[in-house]
Amino acid sequence: MLLAVLGVLTGIVTPLQTAVNARLRGTLGTPFRASLVSFTVGLAATTIAALLLGPYPLVPESALQGPWWMWFAGLFGVIFMTGNILLLPKLGSLQTVLMPVLGQITMGLLIDQFGWLDSPRHPMNVARAAGLVLAVLGVLMAIAAADAKTLFGGPNPFGSRHGAARTPAMLSADALRPPANGRSTNGTSSPSIWLWRGLGVLCGMSLAVQTAMLGRLGTALGSPIKASVVSFILGFVLLCAVVMLRDHGIDLGTAIRGHNPPWMWIGGLLGAVVVLMTSWLSPQLGTGLTVLVVLIGQVTGGLLVDRFGLFEAKRRHVNVLQIVGVAVAVIGIALIRLS
């Protein structure tokens, strides 16, 4: 039970990291600069952990005989982190968790079905298909609730004084139709908000690819922590190149001297905590259960960041239908991961 609680707490850290990095982006000006700082801190933390924990040699000769693509997991980590920094102010914390989770589930099922990236094959079955349907339905319910008037400031999403109560299925269908005024509740135009949601799904798919590649690399290196170090190194190099070419460098002096909260620099450290805790929990709980409890923590953290505006994130009302949608999605994820 204690290990499961630790897994949930580990998952809660992920949306907190996104909120911290989004605040850093506001100071540094671009998401790539914020990602670079986060990757630098994460690289330092995981390198120290790898040096302390081993095993040695750090790069076994046998690892050099593995497939070339396993060394490029960091590319997909850059896509995921930078994408999340962009998504948070557009979608809010909960949807910034849910849309990537949907992409992660979809790509994970494809990887399992076809055995891509040297992963063991796990063909689709009834339980997995039912889990996918429930996960999609739950995400659509949460989106429908986010697009509707909230319980705190408008008509009840479950019904209206002027009409019959609306069922979750009706609200999920409503989420697929643009609002009559062409605007979403967060001020983004309806076609645009669905592009951002699509980007969230793609970010989640990139994370699933990175996870599979890191699994292969971790096996070759004899440690998931060392695999994470390699991923951070590549991400660091790629982001350095992007920041130099696109953003013409980075000036940290102004941000350090400015009146900014000190916690905005800890995003990379939070990411390293997630990596280290997940690496430690997986052999204790098993991969499927670890992924499940971490995902429960992620959606819980997303709800908390939205509800309370943690780390200066924009506060967004959380209503009952969103919580119900999250619960349905979690049940679907459980069916997929534990089947």
Side-chain angles (χ1 to χ4, degrees), residues 30-119:
T30 75
F32 300 106
R33 289 172 177 167
S35 291
L36 176 58
V37 171
S38 187
F39 262 77
T40 302
V41 176
L43 173 60
T46 52
T47 299
I48 292 171
L51 292 174
L52 291 175
L53 300 176
Y56 287 88
L58 292 178
V59 182
E61 184 177 349
S62 59
L64 302 178
Q65 308 303 318
W68 61 270
W69 46 258
M70 70 181 183
W71 301 96
F72 289 88
L75 170 62
F76 297 92
V78 169
I79 294 171
F80 178 73
M81 178 177 291
T82 306
N84 273 3
I85 294 173
L86 289 168
L87 289 172
L88 181 62
K90 301 293 184 180
L91 300 180
S93 183
L94 179 60
Q95 289 193 58
T96 299
V97 171
L98 286 179
M99 302 314 297
V101 164
L102 186 58
Q104 188 178 356
I105 292 170
T106 303
M107 180 56 75
L109 288 173
L110 289 172
I111 291 173
D112 284 350
Q113 177 70 27
F114 298 105
W116 293 339
L117 302 173
D118 285 354
S119 297

Side-chain angles (χ1 to χ4, degrees), residues 257-327:
R257 291 190 299 269
H259 299 289
N260 295 302
W263 49 257
M264 76 176 189
W265 304 99
I266 68 170
L269 182 60
L270 295 177
V273 168
V274 172
V275 169
L276 295 175
M277 285 299 299
T278 304
S279 301
W280 181 72
L281 286 171
S282 290
Q284 310 292 327
L285 293 176
T287 301
L289 185 55
T290 298
V291 170
L292 176 60
V293 295
V294 169
L295 286 176
I296 291 173
Q298 288 176 355
V299 295
T300 302
L303 287 168
L304 292 173
V305 171
D306 272 354
R307 180 67 183 89
F308 298 105
L310 301 180
F311 294 111
E312 298 185 11
K314 180 181 178 181
R315 292 188 65 176
R316 298 168 188 266
H317 291 305
V318 176
N319 58 47
V320 176
L321 184 58
Q322 284 179 291
I323 297 174
V324 172
V326 167

Side-chain angles (χ1 to χ4, degrees), residues 163-254:
R166 301 184 64 73
T167 66
M170 294 165 66
L171 283 163
S172 297
D174 288 344
L176 298 174
R177 293 194 293 267
N181 61 2
R183 307 287 293 180
S184 71
T185 55
N186 65 357
T188 307
S189 62
S190 180
S192 174
I193 197 68
W194 280 100
L195 289 176
W196 286 109
R197 287 166 177 162
L199 176 61
V201 173
L202 291 176
C203 286
M205 296 177 80
S206 73
L207 181 61
V209 172
Q210 184 196 29
T211 300
M213 295 171 74
L214 282 177
R216 181 65 179 83
L217 181 59
T219 300
L221 294 176
S223 165
I225 297 175
K226 290 194 291 186
S228 297
V229 173
V230 173
S231 178
F232 273 116
I233 290 173
L234 178 61
F236 172 78
V237 171
L238 290 173
L239 285 167
C240 280
V242 171
V243 167
M244 292 301 297
L245 295 174
R246 181 187 180 280
D247 298 336
H248 308 293
I250 182 172
D251 178 16
L252 297 179
T254 303

